[in-house]
Amino acid sequence: MNRTSKWETALVLALFAGYYLLAIALVALLCGAILYVLPFSSGGVRLLLAALVPAAAWIIARSAIPGKQEFEVPGPQLSRTEEPELFRVIDELSARLRVSTPDEVYVYNDFNAAVLNHGTFLGFGGKRALMIGLPLFGVLNIDELRSVLAHEFGHFAGQDTRLGIWVDG
């Protein structure tokens, strides 16, 4: 890792931590405000505080915690027995790039390819899926398809897919 990417990584981690520290501080501030101000308030102000402040604290706390991502199967799942040539290319690329082969391979109706992790807990575990758009098979030769798949496997190698639950959710 070069010096720039180390600083970028440190900045991303600092911003990530700062976001959660800010969320925790806001929730604590709101809870403290309700405990401190509520006994000294009266009438409509008391009712407003009693209703809005806990709701705001709950919204902030809940939005900071990633929820479970639902995985929609994008299309038919391909198997090694149905598509041995495609899986030979996938295995070859995985070995060359030193990444594990995807757990699942799907074909879908888009002029694109993509990878993702699904069924994870806070970005850990789960299954790795590769999705290949059906139109790509009609326009790319085998070397071009290898290039597309190598790009997608780069996302696995860089562990980009682990952050999906944190950035998409």
Side-chain angles (χ1 to χ4, degrees):
M1 192 180 295
N2 63 36
R3 175 183 265 184
T4 303
S5 61
K6 286 181 182 178
W7 280 109
E8 289 170 349
T9 301
L11 178 62
V12 167
L13 291 174
L15 289 170
F16 188 73
Y19 170 79
Y20 282 96
L21 289 173
L22 179 62
I24 291 167
L26 284 173
V27 169
L29 183 66
L30 287 168
C31 291
I34 194 107
L35 294 174
Y36 181 74
V37 176
L38 196 61
F40 303 109
S41 60
S42 62
V45 174
R46 175 177 239 157
L47 184 62
L48 192 64
L49 282 173
L52 294 181
V53 173
W58 170 252
I59 289 169
I60 292 169
R62 183 61 193 104
S63 66
I65 301 168
K68 183 180 180 191
Q69 284 183 319
E70 295 297 322
F71 176 67
E72 271 188 48
V73 175
Q77 184 173 355
L78 303 177
S79 71
R80 290 183 177 280
T81 56
E82 294 171 337
E83 301 295 336
E85 183 65 22
L86 175 62
F87 278 87
R88 186 185 64 71
V89 171
I90 289 170
D91 292 341
E92 172 190 300
L93 276 172
S94 295
R96 285 181 71 189
L97 299 172
R98 294 188 206 114
V99 296
S100 300
T101 57
D103 301 307
E104 302 165 341
V105 178
Y106 296 94
V107 65
Y108 71 130
N109 194 22
D110 195 359
F111 199 81
N112 201 2
V115 292
L116 59 85
N117 281 25
H118 66 91
T120 67
F121 177 72
L122 301 180
F124 298 97
K127 291 187 176 182
R128 295 159 25 118
L130 167 66
M131 297 170 291
I132 307 169
L134 185 60
L136 293 179
F137 291 110
V139 296
L140 300 179
N141 65 36
I142 191 68
D143 289 331
E144 292 166 337
L145 181 62
R146 278 190 184 101
S147 296
V148 168
L149 295 178
H151 169 87
E152 295 306 327
F153 287 177
H155 292 298
F156 282 146
Q159 299 183 351
D160 304 340
T161 58
R162 292 179 121 193
L163 297 176
I165 192 163
W166 297 97
V167 295
D168 290 342

PDB file of all heavy atoms in Angstrom, residues 22-54:
ATOM      1  N   LEU A  22     -20.381  10.887  16.338  1.00  0.00           N
ATOM      2  CA  LEU A  22     -21.356  11.970  16.277  1.00  0.00           C
ATOM      3  C   LEU A  22     -22.765  11.447  16.562  1.00  0.00           C
ATOM      4  O   LEU A  22     -23.521  12.070  17.316  1.00  0.00           O
ATOM      5  CB  LEU A  22     -21.311  12.655  14.913  1.00  0.00           C
ATOM      6  CG  LEU A  22     -22.294  13.805  14.700  1.00  0.00           C
ATOM      7  CD1 LEU A  22     -22.021  14.931  15.696  1.00  0.00           C
ATOM      8  CD2 LEU A  22     -22.225  14.309  13.270  1.00  0.00           C
ATOM      9  N   ALA A  23     -23.115  10.298  15.992  1.00  0.00           N
ATOM     10  CA  ALA A  23     -24.442   9.713  16.246  1.00  0.00           C
ATOM     11  C   ALA A  23     -24.605   9.380  17.724  1.00  0.00           C
ATOM     12  O   ALA A  23     -25.642   9.689  18.326  1.00  0.00           O
ATOM     13  CB  ALA A  23     -24.635   8.464  15.385  1.00  0.00           C
ATOM     14  N   ILE A  24     -23.585   8.783  18.335  1.00  0.00           N
ATOM     15  CA  ILE A  24     -23.641   8.442  19.762  1.00  0.00           C
ATOM     16  C   ILE A  24     -23.751   9.708  20.609  1.00  0.00           C
ATOM     17  O   ILE A  24     -24.541   9.778  21.547  1.00  0.00           O
ATOM     18  CB  ILE A  24     -22.406   7.604  20.164  1.00  0.00           C
ATOM     19  CG1 ILE A  24     -22.489   6.216  19.526  1.00  0.00           C
ATOM     20  CG2 ILE A  24     -22.278   7.500  21.684  1.00  0.00           C
ATOM     21  CD1 ILE A  24     -21.196   5.426  19.592  1.00  0.00           C
ATOM     22  N   ALA A  25     -22.962  10.726  20.254  1.00  0.00           N
ATOM     23  CA  ALA A  25     -22.997  11.986  21.004  1.00  0.00           C
ATOM     24  C   ALA A  25     -24.368  12.654  20.893  1.00  0.00           C
ATOM     25  O   ALA A  25     -24.893  13.166  21.888  1.00  0.00           O
ATOM     26  CB  ALA A  25     -21.900  12.927  20.503  1.00  0.00           C
ATOM     27  N   LEU A  26     -24.956  12.639  19.701  1.00  0.00           N
ATOM     28  CA  LEU A  26     -26.276  13.249  19.535  1.00  0.00           C
ATOM     29  C   LEU A  26     -27.346  12.511  20.331  1.00  0.00           C
ATOM     30  O   LEU A  26     -28.200  13.141  20.972  1.00  0.00           O
ATOM     31  CB  LEU A  26     -26.661  13.283  18.057  1.00  0.00           C
ATOM     32  CG  LEU A  26     -25.983  14.350  17.208  1.00  0.00           C
ATOM     33  CD1 LEU A  26     -26.320  14.159  15.735  1.00  0.00           C
ATOM     34  CD2 LEU A  26     -26.381  15.736  17.671  1.00  0.00           C
ATOM     35  N   VAL A  27     -27.302  11.194  20.313  1.00  0.00           N
ATOM     36  CA  VAL A  27     -28.274  10.409  21.087  1.00  0.00           C
ATOM     37  C   VAL A  27     -28.091  10.691  22.579  1.00  0.00           C
ATOM     38  O   VAL A  27     -29.068  10.907  23.308  1.00  0.00           O
ATOM     39  CB  VAL A  27     -28.154   8.900  20.771  1.00  0.00           C
ATOM     40  CG1 VAL A  27     -28.959   8.062  21.749  1.00  0.00           C
ATOM     41  CG2 VAL A  27     -28.600   8.628  19.340  1.00  0.00           C
ATOM     42  N   ALA A  28     -26.828  10.712  23.038  1.00  0.00           N
ATOM     43  CA  ALA A  28     -26.570  10.998  24.454  1.00  0.00           C
ATOM     44  C   ALA A  28     -27.022  12.409  24.807  1.00  0.00           C
ATOM     45  O   ALA A  28     -27.621  12.628  25.872  1.00  0.00           O
ATOM     46  CB  ALA A  28     -25.083  10.826  24.758  1.00  0.00           C
ATOM     47  N   LEU A  29     -26.769  13.363  23.937  1.00  0.00           N
ATOM     48  CA  LEU A  29     -27.187  14.741  24.181  1.00  0.00           C
ATOM     49  C   LEU A  29     -28.711  14.854  24.255  1.00  0.00           C
ATOM     50  O   LEU A  29     -29.251  15.507  25.147  1.00  0.00           O
ATOM     51  CB  LEU A  29     -26.636  15.654  23.083  1.00  0.00           C
ATOM     52  CG  LEU A  29     -26.923  17.140  23.221  1.00  0.00           C
ATOM     53  CD1 LEU A  29     -26.201  17.703  24.443  1.00  0.00           C
ATOM     54  CD2 LEU A  29     -26.480  17.873  21.978  1.00  0.00           C
ATOM     55  N   LEU A  30     -29.391  14.199  23.358  1.00  0.00           N
ATOM     56  CA  LEU A  30     -30.853  14.237  23.371  1.00  0.00           C
ATOM     57  C   LEU A  30     -31.422  13.565  24.619  1.00  0.00           C
ATOM     58  O   LEU A  30     -32.360  14.080  25.234  1.00  0.00           O
ATOM     59  CB  LEU A  30     -31.411  13.577  22.110  1.00  0.00           C
ATOM     60  CG  LEU A  30     -31.251  14.399  20.823  1.00  0.00           C
ATOM     61  CD1 LEU A  30     -31.566  13.541  19.615  1.00  0.00           C
ATOM     62  CD2 LEU A  30     -32.124  15.635  20.860  1.00  0.00           C
ATOM     63  N   CYS A  31     -30.842  12.420  24.994  1.00  0.00           N
ATOM     64  CA  CYS A  31     -31.307  11.741  26.211  1.00  0.00           C
ATOM     65  C   CYS A  31     -31.020  12.592  27.452  1.00  0.00           C
ATOM     66  O   CYS A  31     -31.854  12.705  28.352  1.00  0.00           O
ATOM     67  CB  CYS A  31     -30.651  10.366  26.343  1.00  0.00           C
ATOM     68  SG  CYS A  31     -31.227   9.197  25.100  1.00  0.00           S
ATOM     69  N   GLY A  32     -29.850  13.204  27.466  1.00  0.00           N
ATOM     70  CA  GLY A  32     -29.513  14.082  28.584  1.00  0.00           C
ATOM     71  C   GLY A  32     -30.421  15.289  28.633  1.00  0.00           C
ATOM     72  O   GLY A  32     -30.843  15.725  29.712  1.00  0.00           O
ATOM     73  N   ALA A  33     -30.740  15.822  27.465  1.00  0.00           N
ATOM     74  CA  ALA A  33     -31.614  16.993  27.411  1.00  0.00           C
ATOM     75  C   ALA A  33     -32.992  16.664  27.958  1.00  0.00           C
ATOM     76  O   ALA A  33     -33.562  17.444  28.718  1.00  0.00           O
ATOM     77  CB  ALA A  33     -31.714  17.505  25.978  1.00  0.00           C
ATOM     78  N   ILE A  34     -33.503  15.519  27.610  1.00  0.00           N
ATOM     79  CA  ILE A  34     -34.839  15.161  28.095  1.00  0.00           C
ATOM     80  C   ILE A  34     -34.828  14.964  29.601  1.00  0.00           C
ATOM     81  O   ILE A  34     -35.748  15.368  30.304  1.00  0.00           O
ATOM     82  CB  ILE A  34     -35.415  13.936  27.354  1.00  0.00           C
ATOM     83  CG1 ILE A  34     -36.918  13.794  27.632  1.00  0.00           C
ATOM     84  CG2 ILE A  34     -34.790  12.653  27.742  1.00  0.00           C
ATOM     85  CD1 ILE A  34     -37.749  14.161  26.498  1.00  0.00           C
ATOM     86  N   LEU A  35     -33.765  14.347  30.111  1.00  0.00           N
ATOM     87  CA  LEU A  35     -33.682  14.128  31.558  1.00  0.00           C
ATOM     88  C   LEU A  35     -33.455  15.428  32.321  1.00  0.00           C
ATOM     89  O   LEU A  35     -33.932  15.599  33.438  1.00  0.00           O
ATOM     90  CB  LEU A  35     -32.569  13.127  31.872  1.00  0.00           C
ATOM     91  CG  LEU A  35     -32.797  11.701  31.368  1.00  0.00           C
ATOM     92  CD1 LEU A  35     -31.554  10.858  31.608  1.00  0.00           C
ATOM     93  CD2 LEU A  35     -34.016  11.082  32.044  1.00  0.00           C
ATOM     94  N   TYR A  36     -32.718  16.346  31.711  1.00  0.00           N
ATOM     95  CA  TYR A  36     -32.380  17.597  32.395  1.00  0.00           C
ATOM     96  C   TYR A  36     -33.480  18.650  32.242  1.00  0.00           C
ATOM     97  O   TYR A  36     -33.832  19.337  33.181  1.00  0.00           O
ATOM     98  CB  TYR A  36     -31.052  18.130  31.862  1.00  0.00           C
ATOM     99  CG  TYR A  36     -30.616  19.400  32.529  1.00  0.00           C
ATOM    100  CD1 TYR A  36     -30.117  19.391  33.822  1.00  0.00           C
ATOM    101  CD2 TYR A  36     -30.719  20.622  31.863  1.00  0.00           C
ATOM    102  CE1 TYR A  36     -29.735  20.561  34.444  1.00  0.00           C
ATOM    103  CE2 TYR A  36     -30.341  21.795  32.478  1.00  0.00           C
ATOM    104  CZ  TYR A  36     -29.844  21.762  33.773  1.00  0.00           C
ATOM    105  OH  TYR A  36     -29.473  22.916  34.381  1.00  0.00           O
ATOM    106  N   VAL A  37     -34.013  18.797  31.035  1.00  0.00           N
ATOM    107  CA  VAL A  37     -34.948  19.881  30.743  1.00  0.00           C
ATOM    108  C   VAL A  37     -36.386  19.524  31.104  1.00  0.00           C
ATOM    109  O   VAL A  37     -37.142  20.390  31.547  1.00  0.00           O
ATOM    110  CB  VAL A  37     -34.846  20.280  29.251  1.00  0.00           C
ATOM    111  CG1 VAL A  37     -35.865  21.335  28.880  1.00  0.00           C
ATOM    112  CG2 VAL A  37     -33.446  20.757  28.929  1.00  0.00           C
ATOM    113  N   LEU A  38     -36.773  18.278  30.928  1.00  0.00           N
ATOM    114  CA  LEU A  38     -38.166  17.888  31.140  1.00  0.00           C
ATOM    115  C   LEU A  38     -38.707  18.253  32.522  1.00  0.00           C
ATOM    116  O   LEU A  38     -39.810  18.801  32.611  1.00  0.00           O
ATOM    117  CB  LEU A  38     -38.341  16.393  30.863  1.00  0.00           C
ATOM    118  CG  LEU A  38     -39.769  15.902  30.666  1.00  0.00           C
ATOM    119  CD1 LEU A  38     -40.410  16.598  29.475  1.00  0.00           C
ATOM    120  CD2 LEU A  38     -39.796  14.409  30.469  1.00  0.00           C
ATOM    121  N   PRO A  39     -37.953  18.026  33.607  1.00  0.00           N
ATOM    122  CA  PRO A  39     -38.508  18.386  34.916  1.00  0.00           C
ATOM    123  C   PRO A  39     -38.750  19.881  35.098  1.00  0.00           C
ATOM    124  O   PRO A  39     -39.584  20.285  35.899  1.00  0.00           O
ATOM    125  CB  PRO A  39     -37.439  17.904  35.899  1.00  0.00           C
ATOM    126  CG  PRO A  39     -36.647  16.893  35.166  1.00  0.00           C
ATOM    127  CD  PRO A  39     -36.708  17.286  33.737  1.00  0.00           C
ATOM    128  N   PHE A  40     -38.042  20.714  34.344  1.00  0.00           N
ATOM    129  CA  PHE A  40     -38.166  22.159  34.503  1.00  0.00           C
ATOM    130  C   PHE A  40     -39.091  22.802  33.471  1.00  0.00           C
ATOM    131  O   PHE A  40     -39.265  24.005  33.468  1.00  0.00           O
ATOM    132  CB  PHE A  40     -36.779  22.814  34.415  1.00  0.00           C
ATOM    133  CG  PHE A  40     -35.822  22.273  35.423  1.00  0.00           C
ATOM    134  CD1 PHE A  40     -34.769  21.466  35.032  1.00  0.00           C
ATOM    135  CD2 PHE A  40     -35.985  22.562  36.778  1.00  0.00           C
ATOM    136  CE1 PHE A  40     -33.881  20.957  35.966  1.00  0.00           C
ATOM    137  CE2 PHE A  40     -35.098  22.054  37.709  1.00  0.00           C
ATOM    138  CZ  PHE A  40     -34.046  21.243  37.305  1.00  0.00           C
ATOM    139  N   SER A  41     -39.638  21.998  32.577  1.00  0.00           N
ATOM    140  CA  SER A  41     -40.512  22.557  31.551  1.00  0.00           C
ATOM    141  C   SER A  41     -41.972  22.357  31.948  1.00  0.00           C
ATOM    142  O   SER A  41     -42.292  21.589  32.841  1.00  0.00           O
ATOM    143  CB  SER A  41     -40.224  21.901  30.197  1.00  0.00           C
ATOM    144  OG  SER A  41     -40.440  20.513  30.295  1.00  0.00           O
ATOM    145  N   SER A  42     -42.840  23.062  31.239  1.00  0.00           N
ATOM    146  CA  SER A  42     -44.256  22.956  31.583  1.00  0.00           C
ATOM    147  C   SER A  42     -45.113  22.990  30.326  1.00  0.00           C
ATOM    148  O   SER A  42     -44.678  23.448  29.281  1.00  0.00           O
ATOM    149  CB  SER A  42     -44.663  24.100  32.513  1.00  0.00           C
ATOM    150  OG  SER A  42     -44.492  25.331  31.848  1.00  0.00           O
ATOM    151  N   GLY A  43     -46.329  22.511  30.465  1.00  0.00           N
ATOM    152  CA  GLY A  43     -47.346  22.591  29.427  1.00  0.00           C
ATOM    153  C   GLY A  43     -46.940  21.998  28.100  1.00  0.00           C
ATOM    154  O   GLY A  43     -46.474  20.867  28.000  1.00  0.00           O
ATOM    155  N   GLY A  44     -47.120  22.806  27.038  1.00  0.00           N
ATOM    156  CA  GLY A  44     -46.869  22.360  25.667  1.00  0.00           C
ATOM    157  C   GLY A  44     -45.412  22.015  25.416  1.00  0.00           C
ATOM    158  O   GLY A  44     -45.098  21.105  24.653  1.00  0.00           O
ATOM    159  N   VAL A  45     -44.510  22.752  26.051  1.00  0.00           N
ATOM    160  CA  VAL A  45     -43.084  22.479  25.886  1.00  0.00           C
ATOM    161  C   VAL A  45     -42.754  21.087  26.420  1.00  0.00           C
ATOM    162  O   VAL A  45     -42.026  20.313  25.795  1.00  0.00           O
ATOM    163  CB  VAL A  45     -42.223  23.551  26.584  1.00  0.00           C
ATOM    164  CG1 VAL A  45     -40.753  23.184  26.547  1.00  0.00           C
ATOM    165  CG2 VAL A  45     -42.458  24.903  25.947  1.00  0.00           C
ATOM    166  N   ARG A  46     -43.321  20.753  27.565  1.00  0.00           N
ATOM    167  CA  ARG A  46     -43.085  19.442  28.168  1.00  0.00           C
ATOM    168  C   ARG A  46     -43.602  18.327  27.251  1.00  0.00           C
ATOM    169  O   ARG A  46     -42.936  17.330  27.029  1.00  0.00           O
ATOM    170  CB  ARG A  46     -43.753  19.368  29.531  1.00  0.00           C
ATOM    171  CG  ARG A  46     -43.653  18.000  30.151  1.00  0.00           C
ATOM    172  CD  ARG A  46     -44.262  17.959  31.518  1.00  0.00           C
ATOM    173  NE  ARG A  46     -43.182  17.541  32.394  1.00  0.00           N
ATOM    174  CZ  ARG A  46     -43.111  17.765  33.660  1.00  0.00           C
ATOM    175  NH1 ARG A  46     -44.038  18.442  34.267  1.00  0.00           N
ATOM    176  NH2 ARG A  46     -42.093  17.332  34.364  1.00  0.00           N
ATOM    177  N   LEU A  47     -44.787  18.499  26.709  1.00  0.00           N
ATOM    178  CA  LEU A  47     -45.377  17.508  25.813  1.00  0.00           C
ATOM    179  C   LEU A  47     -44.549  17.369  24.541  1.00  0.00           C
ATOM    180  O   LEU A  47     -44.280  16.261  24.076  1.00  0.00           O
ATOM    181  CB  LEU A  47     -46.819  17.903  25.484  1.00  0.00           C
ATOM    182  CG  LEU A  47     -47.609  16.921  24.644  1.00  0.00           C
ATOM    183  CD1 LEU A  47     -47.753  15.589  25.374  1.00  0.00           C
ATOM    184  CD2 LEU A  47     -48.974  17.492  24.323  1.00  0.00           C
ATOM    185  N   LEU A  48     -44.120  18.502  23.996  1.00  0.00           N
ATOM    186  CA  LEU A  48     -43.302  18.495  22.793  1.00  0.00           C
ATOM    187  C   LEU A  48     -41.966  17.783  23.047  1.00  0.00           C
ATOM    188  O   LEU A  48     -41.537  16.950  22.248  1.00  0.00           O
ATOM    189  CB  LEU A  48     -43.060  19.935  22.326  1.00  0.00           C
ATOM    190  CG  LEU A  48     -42.467  20.115  20.943  1.00  0.00           C
ATOM    191  CD1 LEU A  48     -43.408  19.602  19.874  1.00  0.00           C
ATOM    192  CD2 LEU A  48     -42.151  21.581  20.701  1.00  0.00           C
ATOM    193  N   LEU A  49     -41.332  18.122  24.155  1.00  0.00           N
ATOM    194  CA  LEU A  49     -40.067  17.453  24.512  1.00  0.00           C
ATOM    195  C   LEU A  49     -40.262  15.963  24.719  1.00  0.00           C
ATOM    196  O   LEU A  49     -39.453  15.152  24.259  1.00  0.00           O
ATOM    197  CB  LEU A  49     -39.471  18.071  25.775  1.00  0.00           C
ATOM    198  CG  LEU A  49     -38.751  19.398  25.619  1.00  0.00           C
ATOM    199  CD1 LEU A  49     -38.374  19.953  26.983  1.00  0.00           C
ATOM    200  CD2 LEU A  49     -37.526  19.237  24.757  1.00  0.00           C
ATOM    201  N   ALA A  50     -41.319  15.606  25.419  1.00  0.00           N
ATOM    202  CA  ALA A  50     -41.570  14.193  25.723  1.00  0.00           C
ATOM    203  C   ALA A  50     -41.838  13.380  24.458  1.00  0.00           C
ATOM    204  O   ALA A  50     -41.542  12.191  24.412  1.00  0.00           O
ATOM    205  CB  ALA A  50     -42.745  14.058  26.685  1.00  0.00           C
ATOM    206  N   ALA A  51     -42.352  14.011  23.428  1.00  0.00           N
ATOM    207  CA  ALA A  51     -42.673  13.291  22.196  1.00  0.00           C
ATOM    208  C   ALA A  51     -41.538  13.339  21.176  1.00  0.00           C
ATOM    209  O   ALA A  51     -41.147  12.310  20.616  1.00  0.00           O
ATOM    210  CB  ALA A  51     -43.939  13.866  21.579  1.00  0.00           C
ATOM    211  N   LEU A  52     -41.003  14.511  20.934  1.00  0.00           N
ATOM    212  CA  LEU A  52     -40.056  14.679  19.844  1.00  0.00           C
ATOM    213  C   LEU A  52     -38.620  14.264  20.164  1.00  0.00           C
ATOM    214  O   LEU A  52     -37.939  13.701  19.314  1.00  0.00           O
ATOM    215  CB  LEU A  52     -40.077  16.127  19.353  1.00  0.00           C
ATOM    216  CG  LEU A  52     -41.379  16.574  18.690  1.00  0.00           C
ATOM    217  CD1 LEU A  52     -41.266  18.011  18.217  1.00  0.00           C
ATOM    218  CD2 LEU A  52     -41.740  15.664  17.536  1.00  0.00           C
ATOM    219  N   VAL A  53     -38.163  14.554  21.344  1.00  0.00           N
ATOM    220  CA  VAL A  53     -36.762  14.258  21.672  1.00  0.00           C
ATOM    221  C   VAL A  53     -36.482  12.752  21.674  1.00  0.00           C
ATOM    222  O   VAL A  53     -35.519  12.301  21.041  1.00  0.00           O
ATOM    223  CB  VAL A  53     -36.337  14.948  22.991  1.00  0.00           C
ATOM    224  CG1 VAL A  53     -34.957  14.504  23.409  1.00  0.00           C
ATOM    225  CG2 VAL A  53     -36.372  16.458  22.809  1.00  0.00           C
ATOM    226  N   PRO A  54     -37.288  11.925  22.338  1.00  0.00           N
ATOM    227  CA  PRO A  54     -37.027  10.474  22.251  1.00  0.00           C
ATOM    228  C   PRO A  54     -37.166   9.949  20.820  1.00  0.00           C
ATOM    229  O   PRO A  54     -36.401   9.078  20.405  1.00  0.00           O
ATOM    230  CB  PRO A  54     -38.083   9.855  23.159  1.00  0.00           C
ATOM    231  CG  PRO A  54     -38.488  10.930  24.084  1.00  0.00           C
ATOM    232  CD  PRO A  54     -38.359  12.200  23.305  1.00  0.00           C
TER     233      PRO A  54
END
